[in-house]
Each structure stands twice: as structure tokens, then as C-alpha cells.
Amino acid sequence: MGIIISPTRELSSQIYNVAQPFIATLSNFKSMLLVGGMDVKADVKMIEEEGANLLIGTPGRLFDIMDRVDVLDFRNLEVVIFNYLMRLRLLIPSCLLCFICYHSLGMQSIYLDYFFIKKT
């Protein structure tokens, strides 16, 4: 299982849409877009019925889903990508980071997409 955390709905949607052609080539692999502004009950129902290998979304919705859904086993989490880290560090609730760390003792990779722009 993998998670891509992005600071905004728009950026999460872009990542999801760009990833779909690649994901379509993988058998038995399902991704889900989880962002605010959508019906959380519908997201929960879809995860419970269909499952997911890759969750792409915003910090608040991901935390909400992690808290509500028992079907996903985060102990099998292998990859976490924090997209646009400079902005995310202001948005990610500390409880989400604790949840990820606690449930991911066997996690293989954490990727940080970090931009630092130096003014000249």
C-alpha cells in the first residue's frame, strides 16, 4: 500500500489523473482520490467494497479515512510521498504523522518532494 499526501484538492487531483495511465497497466491495483469537498461516506463505502493499493489525497481527508475505515491495513504501508512538503508542513495535523509512523513500522520508503528556492 502507498499514500501520496498533497496540500490541495487541485494538486491531489492532478497527481491522481497523471498517475491513472500508469496504474491502468498494473493488474490487481486500485487507486483512490481522497479529498475534501466530496462525500466522505461514499469514499468509505468504495474503500470497503473495492479496496485500494494507493491513496492520493489531502491531509484532512486522509486522516478522516484512516480514522473511519478498518478494512485498510496500514501495517502494510510501503511508500509514503509527501508532495510539496514546504506547504504540507503547515497543513498536516501532527496526529496524522503520528498515525502514519505508528502504523507503518514495516514501511520501506518515505519520499519528500521538497522545494527550496533561494532568492538571489
Side-chain angles (χ1 to χ4, degrees), residues 7-32:
T8 66
R9 285 184 274 186
E10 294 78 15
L11 191 52
S12 293
S13 295
Q14 287 176 358
I15 293 168
Y16 178 82
N17 291 329
V18 168
Q20 288 316 296
F22 301 103
I23 291 170
T25 66
L26 303 172
S27 61
N28 299 321
F29 196 89
K30 172 89 171 123
S31 64
M32 282 200 65

PDB file of all heavy atoms in Angstrom, residues 7-32:
ATOM      1  N   PRO A   7      -1.015  19.022  -0.545  1.00  0.00           N
ATOM      2  CA  PRO A   7      -1.667  20.055   0.257  1.00  0.00           C
ATOM      3  C   PRO A   7      -3.034  20.545  -0.235  1.00  0.00           C
ATOM      4  O   PRO A   7      -3.796  21.089   0.544  1.00  0.00           O
ATOM      5  CB  PRO A   7      -0.666  21.212   0.248  1.00  0.00           C
ATOM      6  CG  PRO A   7       0.147  21.011  -0.970  1.00  0.00           C
ATOM      7  CD  PRO A   7       0.203  19.520  -1.185  1.00  0.00           C
ATOM      8  N   THR A   8      -3.350  20.359  -1.513  1.00  0.00           N
ATOM      9  CA  THR A   8      -4.612  20.909  -2.021  1.00  0.00           C
ATOM     10  C   THR A   8      -5.388  19.873  -2.833  1.00  0.00           C
ATOM     11  O   THR A   8      -4.811  18.920  -3.361  1.00  0.00           O
ATOM     12  CB  THR A   8      -4.376  22.137  -2.936  1.00  0.00           C
ATOM     13  OG1 THR A   8      -3.688  21.707  -4.113  1.00  0.00           O
ATOM     14  CG2 THR A   8      -3.582  23.224  -2.220  1.00  0.00           C
ATOM     15  N   ARG A   9      -6.690  20.105  -2.937  1.00  0.00           N
ATOM     16  CA  ARG A   9      -7.543  19.234  -3.759  1.00  0.00           C
ATOM     17  C   ARG A   9      -7.091  19.238  -5.210  1.00  0.00           C
ATOM     18  O   ARG A   9      -7.059  18.199  -5.872  1.00  0.00           O
ATOM     19  CB  ARG A   9      -9.002  19.700  -3.701  1.00  0.00           C
ATOM     20  CG  ARG A   9      -9.693  19.379  -2.422  1.00  0.00           C
ATOM     21  CD  ARG A   9     -11.124  19.781  -2.505  1.00  0.00           C
ATOM     22  NE  ARG A   9     -11.231  21.191  -2.139  1.00  0.00           N
ATOM     23  CZ  ARG A   9     -12.349  21.851  -1.995  1.00  0.00           C
ATOM     24  NH1 ARG A   9     -13.494  21.258  -2.230  1.00  0.00           N
ATOM     25  NH2 ARG A   9     -12.358  23.100  -1.630  1.00  0.00           N
ATOM     26  N   GLU A  10      -6.766  20.425  -5.701  1.00  0.00           N
ATOM     27  CA  GLU A  10      -6.386  20.561  -7.102  1.00  0.00           C
ATOM     28  C   GLU A  10      -5.116  19.778  -7.409  1.00  0.00           C
ATOM     29  O   GLU A  10      -5.040  19.062  -8.418  1.00  0.00           O
ATOM     30  CB  GLU A  10      -6.198  22.043  -7.461  1.00  0.00           C
ATOM     31  CG  GLU A  10      -7.468  22.859  -7.409  1.00  0.00           C
ATOM     32  CD  GLU A  10      -7.900  23.246  -5.980  1.00  0.00           C
ATOM     33  OE1 GLU A  10      -7.088  23.129  -5.028  1.00  0.00           O
ATOM     34  OE2 GLU A  10      -9.068  23.655  -5.822  1.00  0.00           O
ATOM     35  N   LEU A  11      -4.115  19.904  -6.559  1.00  0.00           N
ATOM     36  CA  LEU A  11      -2.857  19.193  -6.782  1.00  0.00           C
ATOM     37  C   LEU A  11      -3.051  17.685  -6.626  1.00  0.00           C
ATOM     38  O   LEU A  11      -2.525  16.896  -7.423  1.00  0.00           O
ATOM     39  CB  LEU A  11      -1.788  19.700  -5.817  1.00  0.00           C
ATOM     40  CG  LEU A  11      -0.355  19.246  -6.077  1.00  0.00           C
ATOM     41  CD1 LEU A  11       0.066  19.504  -7.520  1.00  0.00           C
ATOM     42  CD2 LEU A  11       0.591  19.941  -5.112  1.00  0.00           C
ATOM     43  N   SER A  12      -3.826  17.263  -5.666  1.00  0.00           N
ATOM     44  CA  SER A  12      -4.128  15.837  -5.499  1.00  0.00           C
ATOM     45  C   SER A  12      -4.833  15.291  -6.731  1.00  0.00           C
ATOM     46  O   SER A  12      -4.524  14.190  -7.202  1.00  0.00           O
ATOM     47  CB  SER A  12      -5.001  15.611  -4.262  1.00  0.00           C
ATOM     48  OG  SER A  12      -4.295  15.914  -3.091  1.00  0.00           O
ATOM     49  N   SER A  13      -5.776  16.051  -7.267  1.00  0.00           N
ATOM     50  CA  SER A  13      -6.494  15.627  -8.479  1.00  0.00           C
ATOM     51  C   SER A  13      -5.555  15.519  -9.669  1.00  0.00           C
ATOM     52  O   SER A  13      -5.655  14.574 -10.469  1.00  0.00           O
ATOM     53  CB  SER A  13      -7.619  16.608  -8.802  1.00  0.00           C
ATOM     54  OG  SER A  13      -8.590  16.586  -7.796  1.00  0.00           O
ATOM     55  N   GLN A  14      -4.648  16.466  -9.811  1.00  0.00           N
ATOM     56  CA  GLN A  14      -3.683  16.412 -10.904  1.00  0.00           C
ATOM     57  C   GLN A  14      -2.798  15.170 -10.789  1.00  0.00           C
ATOM     58  O   GLN A  14      -2.572  14.472 -11.779  1.00  0.00           O
ATOM     59  CB  GLN A  14      -2.803  17.664 -10.911  1.00  0.00           C
ATOM     60  CG  GLN A  14      -3.502  18.902 -11.377  1.00  0.00           C
ATOM     61  CD  GLN A  14      -2.613  20.132 -11.265  1.00  0.00           C
ATOM     62  OE1 GLN A  14      -1.473  20.066 -10.799  1.00  0.00           O
ATOM     63  NE2 GLN A  14      -3.139  21.268 -11.680  1.00  0.00           N
ATOM     64  N   ILE A  15      -2.311  14.905  -9.595  1.00  0.00           N
ATOM     65  CA  ILE A  15      -1.463  13.727  -9.374  1.00  0.00           C
ATOM     66  C   ILE A  15      -2.241  12.462  -9.711  1.00  0.00           C
ATOM     67  O   ILE A  15      -1.736  11.567 -10.402  1.00  0.00           O
ATOM     68  CB  ILE A  15      -0.954  13.692  -7.924  1.00  0.00           C
ATOM     69  CG1 ILE A  15       0.012  14.847  -7.679  1.00  0.00           C
ATOM     70  CG2 ILE A  15      -0.308  12.342  -7.599  1.00  0.00           C
ATOM     71  CD1 ILE A  15       0.341  15.081  -6.219  1.00  0.00           C
ATOM     72  N   TYR A  16      -3.471  12.382  -9.238  1.00  0.00           N
ATOM     73  CA  TYR A  16      -4.316  11.218  -9.495  1.00  0.00           C
ATOM     74  C   TYR A  16      -4.517  11.016 -11.003  1.00  0.00           C
ATOM     75  O   TYR A  16      -4.357   9.911 -11.517  1.00  0.00           O
ATOM     76  CB  TYR A  16      -5.660  11.399  -8.791  1.00  0.00           C
ATOM     77  CG  TYR A  16      -6.628  10.277  -9.023  1.00  0.00           C
ATOM     78  CD1 TYR A  16      -6.537   9.104  -8.277  1.00  0.00           C
ATOM     79  CD2 TYR A  16      -7.637  10.387  -9.970  1.00  0.00           C
ATOM     80  CE1 TYR A  16      -7.427   8.061  -8.489  1.00  0.00           C
ATOM     81  CE2 TYR A  16      -8.533   9.351 -10.185  1.00  0.00           C
ATOM     82  CZ  TYR A  16      -8.427   8.192  -9.444  1.00  0.00           C
ATOM     83  OH  TYR A  16      -9.304   7.165  -9.657  1.00  0.00           O
ATOM     84  N   ASN A  17      -4.852  12.089 -11.706  1.00  0.00           N
ATOM     85  CA  ASN A  17      -5.109  11.990 -13.151  1.00  0.00           C
ATOM     86  C   ASN A  17      -3.855  11.629 -13.949  1.00  0.00           C
ATOM     87  O   ASN A  17      -3.931  10.870 -14.913  1.00  0.00           O
ATOM     88  CB  ASN A  17      -5.724  13.286 -13.677  1.00  0.00           C
ATOM     89  CG  ASN A  17      -7.133  13.483 -13.160  1.00  0.00           C
ATOM     90  OD1 ASN A  17      -7.856  12.528 -12.924  1.00  0.00           O
ATOM     91  ND2 ASN A  17      -7.518  14.733 -12.957  1.00  0.00           N
ATOM     92  N   VAL A  18      -2.709  12.153 -13.551  1.00  0.00           N
ATOM     93  CA  VAL A  18      -1.462  11.821 -14.241  1.00  0.00           C
ATOM     94  C   VAL A  18      -1.071  10.368 -13.961  1.00  0.00           C
ATOM     95  O   VAL A  18      -0.533   9.677 -14.833  1.00  0.00           O
ATOM     96  CB  VAL A  18      -0.331  12.786 -13.813  1.00  0.00           C
ATOM     97  CG1 VAL A  18       1.022  12.289 -14.273  1.00  0.00           C
ATOM     98  CG2 VAL A  18      -0.601  14.182 -14.361  1.00  0.00           C
ATOM     99  N   ALA A  19      -1.352   9.880 -12.771  1.00  0.00           N
ATOM    100  CA  ALA A  19      -0.971   8.515 -12.392  1.00  0.00           C
ATOM    101  C   ALA A  19      -1.842   7.441 -13.041  1.00  0.00           C
ATOM    102  O   ALA A  19      -1.392   6.305 -13.216  1.00  0.00           O
ATOM    103  CB  ALA A  19      -1.026   8.362 -10.870  1.00  0.00           C
ATOM    104  N   GLN A  20      -3.071   7.775 -13.407  1.00  0.00           N
ATOM    105  CA  GLN A  20      -4.008   6.765 -13.902  1.00  0.00           C
ATOM    106  C   GLN A  20      -3.518   5.962 -15.106  1.00  0.00           C
ATOM    107  O   GLN A  20      -3.689   4.743 -15.125  1.00  0.00           O
ATOM    108  CB  GLN A  20      -5.380   7.394 -14.189  1.00  0.00           C
ATOM    109  CG  GLN A  20      -6.137   7.765 -12.935  1.00  0.00           C
ATOM    110  CD  GLN A  20      -6.084   6.686 -11.868  1.00  0.00           C
ATOM    111  OE1 GLN A  20      -6.585   5.585 -12.035  1.00  0.00           O
ATOM    112  NE2 GLN A  20      -5.458   7.010 -10.742  1.00  0.00           N
ATOM    113  N   PRO A  21      -2.898   6.570 -16.129  1.00  0.00           N
ATOM    114  CA  PRO A  21      -2.418   5.744 -17.254  1.00  0.00           C
ATOM    115  C   PRO A  21      -1.376   4.708 -16.817  1.00  0.00           C
ATOM    116  O   PRO A  21      -1.329   3.605 -17.354  1.00  0.00           O
ATOM    117  CB  PRO A  21      -1.802   6.769 -18.214  1.00  0.00           C
ATOM    118  CG  PRO A  21      -2.460   8.055 -17.879  1.00  0.00           C
ATOM    119  CD  PRO A  21      -2.739   7.997 -16.407  1.00  0.00           C
ATOM    120  N   PHE A  22      -0.554   5.042 -15.836  1.00  0.00           N
ATOM    121  CA  PHE A  22       0.445   4.105 -15.339  1.00  0.00           C
ATOM    122  C   PHE A  22      -0.204   3.017 -14.489  1.00  0.00           C
ATOM    123  O   PHE A  22       0.132   1.842 -14.599  1.00  0.00           O
ATOM    124  CB  PHE A  22       1.511   4.844 -14.519  1.00  0.00           C
ATOM    125  CG  PHE A  22       2.221   5.901 -15.313  1.00  0.00           C
ATOM    126  CD1 PHE A  22       1.901   7.235 -15.144  1.00  0.00           C
ATOM    127  CD2 PHE A  22       3.193   5.557 -16.238  1.00  0.00           C
ATOM    128  CE1 PHE A  22       2.553   8.220 -15.877  1.00  0.00           C
ATOM    129  CE2 PHE A  22       3.848   6.520 -16.980  1.00  0.00           C
ATOM    130  CZ  PHE A  22       3.521   7.861 -16.805  1.00  0.00           C
ATOM    131  N   ILE A  23      -1.129   3.422 -13.653  1.00  0.00           N
ATOM    132  CA  ILE A  23      -1.820   2.476 -12.779  1.00  0.00           C
ATOM    133  C   ILE A  23      -2.647   1.490 -13.594  1.00  0.00           C
ATOM    134  O   ILE A  23      -2.765   0.320 -13.238  1.00  0.00           O
ATOM    135  CB  ILE A  23      -2.686   3.246 -11.755  1.00  0.00           C
ATOM    136  CG1 ILE A  23      -1.764   3.978 -10.776  1.00  0.00           C
ATOM    137  CG2 ILE A  23      -3.644   2.326 -11.027  1.00  0.00           C
ATOM    138  CD1 ILE A  23      -2.452   4.960  -9.865  1.00  0.00           C
ATOM    139  N   ALA A  24      -3.192   1.953 -14.715  1.00  0.00           N
ATOM    140  CA  ALA A  24      -4.010   1.084 -15.572  1.00  0.00           C
ATOM    141  C   ALA A  24      -3.220  -0.099 -16.124  1.00  0.00           C
ATOM    142  O   ALA A  24      -3.801  -1.120 -16.482  1.00  0.00           O
ATOM    143  CB  ALA A  24      -4.608   1.896 -16.721  1.00  0.00           C
ATOM    144  N   THR A  25      -1.901   0.021 -16.181  1.00  0.00           N
ATOM    145  CA  THR A  25      -1.075  -1.076 -16.699  1.00  0.00           C
ATOM    146  C   THR A  25      -0.800  -2.149 -15.640  1.00  0.00           C
ATOM    147  O   THR A  25      -0.256  -3.204 -15.968  1.00  0.00           O
ATOM    148  CB  THR A  25       0.280  -0.546 -17.218  1.00  0.00           C
ATOM    149  OG1 THR A  25       1.035  -0.022 -16.117  1.00  0.00           O
ATOM    150  CG2 THR A  25       0.077   0.517 -18.280  1.00  0.00           C
ATOM    151  N   LEU A  26      -1.163  -1.891 -14.398  1.00  0.00           N
ATOM    152  CA  LEU A  26      -0.907  -2.832 -13.307  1.00  0.00           C
ATOM    153  C   LEU A  26      -2.148  -3.669 -13.029  1.00  0.00           C
ATOM    154  O   LEU A  26      -3.233  -3.128 -12.840  1.00  0.00           O
ATOM    155  CB  LEU A  26      -0.512  -2.071 -12.037  1.00  0.00           C
ATOM    156  CG  LEU A  26       0.696  -1.143 -12.163  1.00  0.00           C
ATOM    157  CD1 LEU A  26       0.854  -0.310 -10.900  1.00  0.00           C
ATOM    158  CD2 LEU A  26       1.961  -1.946 -12.442  1.00  0.00           C
ATOM    159  N   SER A  27      -1.970  -4.962 -12.992  1.00  0.00           N
ATOM    160  CA  SER A  27      -3.118  -5.816 -12.681  1.00  0.00           C
ATOM    161  C   SER A  27      -3.337  -5.855 -11.173  1.00  0.00           C
ATOM    162  O   SER A  27      -2.389  -5.760 -10.391  1.00  0.00           O
ATOM    163  CB  SER A  27      -2.888  -7.229 -13.221  1.00  0.00           C
ATOM    164  OG  SER A  27      -1.751  -7.799 -12.617  1.00  0.00           O
ATOM    165  N   ASN A  28      -4.585  -5.948 -10.782  1.00  0.00           N
ATOM    166  CA  ASN A  28      -4.970  -6.018  -9.366  1.00  0.00           C
ATOM    167  C   ASN A  28      -4.457  -4.835  -8.554  1.00  0.00           C
ATOM    168  O   ASN A  28      -4.012  -4.990  -7.415  1.00  0.00           O
ATOM    169  CB  ASN A  28      -4.484  -7.321  -8.732  1.00  0.00           C
ATOM    170  CG  ASN A  28      -5.086  -8.523  -9.396  1.00  0.00           C
ATOM    171  OD1 ASN A  28      -6.260  -8.520  -9.761  1.00  0.00           O
ATOM    172  ND2 ASN A  28      -4.287  -9.544  -9.597  1.00  0.00           N
ATOM    173  N   PHE A  29      -4.471  -3.650  -9.150  1.00  0.00           N
ATOM    174  CA  PHE A  29      -4.004  -2.447  -8.453  1.00  0.00           C
ATOM    175  C   PHE A  29      -5.084  -1.383  -8.559  1.00  0.00           C
ATOM    176  O   PHE A  29      -5.565  -1.087  -9.646  1.00  0.00           O
ATOM    177  CB  PHE A  29      -2.695  -1.936  -9.075  1.00  0.00           C
ATOM    178  CG  PHE A  29      -1.969  -0.972  -8.196  1.00  0.00           C
ATOM    179  CD1 PHE A  29      -1.053  -1.437  -7.269  1.00  0.00           C
ATOM    180  CD2 PHE A  29      -2.204   0.385  -8.290  1.00  0.00           C
ATOM    181  CE1 PHE A  29      -0.377  -0.547  -6.449  1.00  0.00           C
ATOM    182  CE2 PHE A  29      -1.534   1.280  -7.482  1.00  0.00           C
ATOM    183  CZ  PHE A  29      -0.609   0.813  -6.555  1.00  0.00           C
ATOM    184  N   LYS A  30      -5.461  -0.812  -7.443  1.00  0.00           N
ATOM    185  CA  LYS A  30      -6.552   0.171  -7.398  1.00  0.00           C
ATOM    186  C   LYS A  30      -6.073   1.415  -6.662  1.00  0.00           C
ATOM    187  O   LYS A  30      -5.466   1.324  -5.596  1.00  0.00           O
ATOM    188  CB  LYS A  30      -7.745  -0.452  -6.661  1.00  0.00           C
ATOM    189  CG  LYS A  30      -8.878   0.474  -6.365  1.00  0.00           C
ATOM    190  CD  LYS A  30      -9.861   0.506  -7.499  1.00  0.00           C
ATOM    191  CE  LYS A  30     -11.096   1.283  -7.060  1.00  0.00           C
ATOM    192  NZ  LYS A  30     -11.387   2.382  -7.894  1.00  0.00           N
ATOM    193  N   SER A  31      -6.338   2.571  -7.236  1.00  0.00           N
ATOM    194  CA  SER A  31      -6.014   3.833  -6.570  1.00  0.00           C
ATOM    195  C   SER A  31      -7.301   4.584  -6.272  1.00  0.00           C
ATOM    196  O   SER A  31      -8.324   4.366  -6.921  1.00  0.00           O
ATOM    197  CB  SER A  31      -5.095   4.687  -7.439  1.00  0.00           C
ATOM    198  OG  SER A  31      -5.756   5.063  -8.622  1.00  0.00           O
ATOM    199  N   MET A  32      -7.222   5.466  -5.285  1.00  0.00           N
ATOM    200  CA  MET A  32      -8.373   6.293  -4.929  1.00  0.00           C
ATOM    201  C   MET A  32      -7.935   7.716  -4.665  1.00  0.00           C
ATOM    202  O   MET A  32      -6.881   7.933  -4.062  1.00  0.00           O
ATOM    203  CB  MET A  32      -9.055   5.762  -3.673  1.00  0.00           C
ATOM    204  CG  MET A  32      -9.915   4.559  -3.922  1.00  0.00           C
ATOM    205  SD  MET A  32     -11.105   4.332  -2.599  1.00  0.00           S
ATOM    206  CE  MET A  32     -12.116   5.791  -2.774  1.00  0.00           C
TER     207      MET A  32
END
